[in-house]
């Protein structure tokens, strides 16, 4: 594969399912240690819980696409301003509890919460970086990291950071 065929762009709503599938696959071990669900159920549950707020001025997510298909993703966040949304994006938990089990939903939410990192002022934090298993070791992660470095530099952050949880 030639890395030049990869296009990095801002994540759109149409990419949501593919990004959730990619995150579920890339962090399978972490998710399976928390919940007793198969990969497709984890993807569905993530898709229901992970609602991006377009008014959030303290994060951005990009996707790497090859021929229109999401093959990688990177999410950045920083200390910033968040404008609350009215009503939109509210999660209805009762159907999730029924579909995936109350304990599974609660354990996944708690696990995601404990993995969350709050960046300091002037810090741009790489929240996650994931590459599809069929596209690893081909330079896509490097392209996404270079994009993040450029973004942090152009946005005048003092540092770009990444924390890894075992």
């Amino acid at each position: 594969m030639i890395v030049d065929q990869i296009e990095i762009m801002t994540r759109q709503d149409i990419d949501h399912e593919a990004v959730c599938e990619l995150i579920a696959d890339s962090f399978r071990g972490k998710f399976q240690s928390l919940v007793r669900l198969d990969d497709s159920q984890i993807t569905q549950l993530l898709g229901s819980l992970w609602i991006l707020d377009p008014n959030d001025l303290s994060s951005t997510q990009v996707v790497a696409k090859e021929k229109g298909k999401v093959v990688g993703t990177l999410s950045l966040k920083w200390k910033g301003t968040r404008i609350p949304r009215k009503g939109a994006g509210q999660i209805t938990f009762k159907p999730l509890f029924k579909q995936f089990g109350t304990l599974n939903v609660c354990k996944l939410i708690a696990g995601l919460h404990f993995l969350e990192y709050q960046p300091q002022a002037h810090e741009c934090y790489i929240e996650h970086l994931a590459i599809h298993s069929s596209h690893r070791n081909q330079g896509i992660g490097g392209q996404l990291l270079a994009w993040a470095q450029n973004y942090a530099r152009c946005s005048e952050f003092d540092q770009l950071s990444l924390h890894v949880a075992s």
Side-chain angles (χ1 to χ4, degrees):
M1 177 187 145
I2 301 169
V3 179
D4 296 344
Q5 295 175 344
I6 299 301
E7 186 177 8
I8 297 175
M9 62 187 66
T10 304
R11 177 211 171 274
Q12 303 296 312
D13 287 341
I14 195 167
D15 302 320
H16 184 71
E17 186 177 337
V19 168
C20 288
E21 188 176 313
L22 182 58
I23 296 296
D25 180 60
S26 295
F27 299 99
R28 175 182 290 126
K30 285 186 181 13
F31 292 130
Q32 288 181 343
S33 70
L34 291 170
V35 296
R36 295 187 185 273
L37 299 172
D38 65 32
D39 290 350
S40 68
Q41 290 173 312
I42 291 171
T43 299
Q44 287 179 322
L45 182 53
L46 274 178
S48 298
L49 294 175
W50 189 22
I51 300 170
L52 296 181
D53 185 347
N55 295 316
D56 185 355
L57 302 177
S58 62
S59 68
T60 191
Q61 183 170 29
V62 294
V63 292
K65 290 187 174 183
E66 179 186 46
K67 298 177 184 171
K69 181 183 176 205
V70 174
V71 296
T73 187
L74 175 124
S75 178
L76 300 176
K77 75 177 194 177
W78 52 88
K79 195 172 203 141
T81 306
R82 187 172 179 177
I83 303 167
R85 289 190 337 184
K86 293 183 180 178
Q90 297 297 321
I91 299 169
T92 308
F93 286 99
K94 190 173 182 178
L96 295 178
F97 292 157
K98 186 175 182 179
Q99 183 177 359
F100 302 107
T102 303
L103 189 58
N104 282 325
V105 174
C106 292
K107 285 172 91 175
L108 185 62
I109 291 170
L112 292 173
H113 174 74
F114 285 117
L115 288 173
E116 192 169 322
Y117 172 77
Q118 296 303 320
Q120 302 300 310
H122 309 291
E123 173 188 11
C124 185
Y125 171 66
I126 299 172
E127 189 165 40
H128 63 253
L129 170 65
I131 309 299
H132 193 280
S133 58
S134 66
H135 287 71
R136 292 184 187 145
N137 301 313
Q138 297 178 20
I140 299 168
Q143 280 190 322
L144 286 167
L145 288 172
W147 183 93
Q149 286 177 316
N150 187 55
Y151 183 90
R153 188 177 317 113
C154 291
S155 301
E156 299 183 6
F157 286 105
D158 293 338
Q159 67 180 22
L160 178 64
S161 64
L162 170 68
H163 296 268
V164 180
S166 59

